Amino acid sequence: MNKIRKYLVVVLVLLVLLTGCGKENGNNNSNDGSKLSVVFVVTGQLGDRSFNDSAHEGIKAMAEKLGVETKVIEIGRDQTVWRPTFEDLAEEGEYDIIITNGSNAGELIEEIALEYPEQKFILFDTEMESEIVNLYAISYLQNEASYIAGVLAALVTKSDMEYANEDNKIGFVGGSEHPIITDFLVGYVEGAKSVDPNITVYVSYIGSWDDTAKGKETAMAQYNQGVDIIFPAAEQAGLGCVEAAVEMKKYIIGVDSDQAMLFKGVNEDSANVILTSVLKEVGNSLVRAVDLEQKGNLPWGTFETLGIKEDGVGIARNEYFDKNVPAEIKEEVINAYEQVANGEVKVTSALTDDSKIVEEIIRSVAP
Amino acid sequence: MLEFIKIILTPEFLFSVIRVMTPILFAALACMVFIKGGIDPIGIEGIMLLASMAGPVGGYYTNSVIGGILAAILISLLASLLFGYVTLKLKSIEILAGIALNTLASGLTIFIIYYVAGNKGSTQSLTSKVAPIIELKIIKNIPYIGKILSGHNILTYLGIILVFVLYYILYRTPLGLRIRSVGENSAAAESVGINVLKYKYITLIMAGTIAGLGGAYMSMGYVSFFSRGMIAGRGFIGMAAEAMGRGNPYGIFLSSALFGIADSLATQLQMLDFPSQLIQTIPYIITILGISIYSYRHKKVRKVI
């Protein structure tokens, strides 16, 4: 046993050392002072066809449109390597701005930003409470876009579309309980209720953001209860829900990226069951932020909340939406879109409104 | 409550139990063989992950289901033998080698699918090859039961058949006797002229093949693509199921089924407005309960002796 412990210590020490060395060794020419340089640190991996990929698109667009020097580093989900990586980046100061996902690494970045006041940070998908002058955060009104998704789902389940049944039941699948996921949910429920106050919304959580098989299982359980359209907000695990929909001939509303278009040409069956996707325009919002920074207008030390009006969130109106959603439903969805955009409809938020009210709304449609 | 009972009695629910149980059963059977041969099964998670990656990739390159399943078995054999080489030949500590294997698998699978499919998340851009669904001829027509037992993936049936096959091999053949004796006391086995190393490698090959089938089921049956980290602890749950099944194939079958029930139950109950945090603990509570009951009975038996 002692021997094992000794080995374990050696391994741990090696791990720490190796991780420490794992930083990006610099090409010094990237920061010659004239060009803005940004690094996007992916807390997870690219290829989630969702959140990180959307941010990545924004990074690419920045390089093209704004002529910004960009770099992407993937550091995986192992949180023990996050702090050293960010600290190394901040200490080297090679990049003007470090961009990362604040819903995962927000608290960590707040600490590091205080430690390294020279380094600027942009966090997406988080609200920042303290006023740190080298930090700017973007949060998204996902509840607004989810409201539109709810409107669509309620109209679809009532319709005589091919895969819709007679039950007025719709579904929501979350990765796990999280304030942002609840924000998606409350908007979805409100949207659905605006169409049909007596609708039933089944809510399940997968308990994982990666487990696609469990995602499929969870979706199938809901479909077996007579649900005919599910809105999964579960990152990669949501891909399992899409497969359940294809197999059981039901519908899905995608999330974060335009998921139907990602399946286009690769898997038409999957593309066709995804009626639309609730988009967080992470990419756009990052381009907007960096553009503002170049002009010297970015409000450091604050956070901004972008909704439908600011194009921070939206729903995908792609060819599959056009092809698969009947005209009268489309019209009503677009109406709802405009109502939210011009402030006629105020959507409840799980992040800012009283949690009791939020819970009441969600409970009111429980089976 | 009525709603709850109604759901549990539906054939769909019992069907899903079998579907959920399958990967755990494969993992537990592989763990059982490992342990019988005196090898620590901690690397099972990584071996299955590698296999679940190799399935769709192999299926894509050979354009056949068989090719995919063979690729899954092949890579898990390689991983299992690598583990054997490192622990048996190079004498490294099994726990460390197992953890290293799991870490290697989680990184290597992402690297390979990025190379092959151009995406670090999943292999959905490859045309998927899925192991066929089997309709059982006579059973299919029995009302209710037919709906539960028929229409599963071929690998599910294979897993159930393996329970009996493994029981026969381990307890009714000279090969099984040697594997068990090597696992229980390798010095004693050696003293009666058994080639310990040979039987350890046979154990690795058997367990690797079973783990490979389990991995293939995940990505070529349960879902039709590989996605990163998709084993998601099922290998480890298999280890627990093995312990709960007291290392006996039939016991393992029952304990895997119990895990399947717990997991499916958790999925169903959530929809009925129970607090989800509480429900997601059900599978773990059952694990603790199962192991406690097992060790309690074990203690009693020992006292009697």
Side-chain angles (χ1 to χ4, degrees), chain A residues 323-342:
Chain A
K323 187 170 75 177
N324 295 326
V325 180
E328 59 278 9
I329 293 182
K330 242 184 280 183
E331 202 175 302
E332 283 193 56
V333 167
I334 290 164
N335 267 344
Y337 206 91
E338 274 153 17
Q339 281 175 341
V340 176
N342 63 28

Side-chain angles (χ1 to χ4, degrees), chain A residues 74 177 205 212 216-217 243, chain B residues 19 120 222 224 227 270:
Chain A
E74 291 164 272
E177 289 216 54
Y205 296 92
T212 36
K216 184 174 179 182
E217 200 64 52
E243 190 161 289
Chain B
R19 186 172 53 214
K120 289 174 192 162
Y222 209 149
S224 64
S227 68
Q270 277 203 44

Side-chain angles (χ1 to χ4, degrees), chain B residues 55-56 92 161 215 227 249 271:
Chain B
S92 81
I161 292 169
S227 68
M271 295 185 299

Side-chain angles (χ1 to χ4, degrees), chain A residues 104-117:
Chain A
N104 290 335
E107 284 170 28
L108 174 66
I109 295 296
E110 279 187 42
E111 282 176 37
I112 294 176
L114 284 172
E115 262 175 69
Y116 297 92

Side-chain angles (χ1 to χ4, degrees), chain A residues 56-296:
Chain A
H56 190 212
E57 289 302 315
I59 300 293
K60 283 195 248 173
M62 263 176 228
E64 264 172 44
K65 287 183 202 152
L66 307 175
V68 176
E69 194 89 39
T70 61
K71 169 91 185 164
V72 178
I73 303 176
E74 291 164 272
I75 59 174
R77 279 178 191 269
D78 178 6
Q79 303 208 359
T80 53
V81 306
W82 290 3
R83 178 182 286 276
T85 310
F86 284 117
E87 282 179 345
D88 283 344
L89 282 169
E91 191 160 307
E92 279 180 19
E94 195 184 318
Y95 302 97
D96 296 320
I97 302 172
I98 296 174
I99 298 176
T100 194
N101 182 340
S103 62
N104 290 335
E107 284 170 28
L108 174 66
I109 295 296
E110 279 187 42
E111 282 176 37
I112 294 176
L114 284 172
E115 262 175 69
Y116 297 92
E118 299 294 305
Q119 177 69 53
K120 288 175 174 171
F121 294 89
I122 294 180
L123 293 176
F124 55 84
D125 202 26
T126 191
E127 291 177 7
M128 197 181 46
E129 277 160 26
S130 51
E131 290 174 4
I132 302 168
V133 290
N134 52 333
L135 195 57
Y136 165 76
I138 308 164
S139 75
Y140 306 91
L141 293 171
Q142 53 263 334
N143 57 335
E144 290 191 359
S146 302
Y147 178 90
I148 313 297
V151 170
L152 174 69
L155 290 167
V156 167
T157 192
K158 278 209 310 193
S159 74
D160 49 7
M161 285 171 66
E162 199 186 345
Y163 297 160
N165 58 25
E166 281 165 11
D167 294 337
N168 273 351
K169 295 174 178 171
I170 63 173
F172 177 88
V173 172
S176 67
E177 289 216 54
H178 185 287
I180 289 186
I181 298 302
T182 311
D183 203 31
F184 273 110
L185 174 57
V186 72
Y188 183 63
V189 169
E190 268 193 332
K193 279 180 87 172
S194 75
V195 175
D196 177 3
N198 297 319
I199 199 157
T200 307
V201 183
Y202 283 78
V203 180
S204 306
Y205 296 92
I206 299 169
S208 161
W209 304 95
D210 277 337
D211 194 340
T212 36
K214 190 93 185 283
K216 184 174 179 182
E217 200 64 52
T218 309
M220 286 174 105
Q222 288 199 354
Y223 287 139
N224 276 330
Q225 292 303 307
V227 166
D228 40 24
I229 181 163
I230 291 179
F231 174 35
E235 290 185 22
Q236 183 176 280
L239 294 176
C241 302
V242 177
E243 190 161 289
V246 173
E247 244 177 67
M248 298 183 73
K249 299 200 182 314
K250 307 280 177 183
Y251 296 112
I252 282 282
I253 295 173
V255 76
D256 292 344
S257 289
D258 191 344
Q259 287 188 303
M261 293 309 278
L262 289 170
F263 280 111
K264 181 182 154 76
V266 177
N267 188 336
E268 285 295 320
D269 289 340
S270 296
N272 275 312
V273 297
I274 304 172
L275 294 180
T276 183
S277 292
V278 166
L279 303 176
K280 274 194 194 181
E281 302 282 5
V282 178
N284 287 353
S285 71
L286 291 176
V287 173
R288 172 181 171 273
V290 170
D291 187 31
L292 283 174
E293 169 65 5
Q294 276 184 330
K295 292 173 184 145

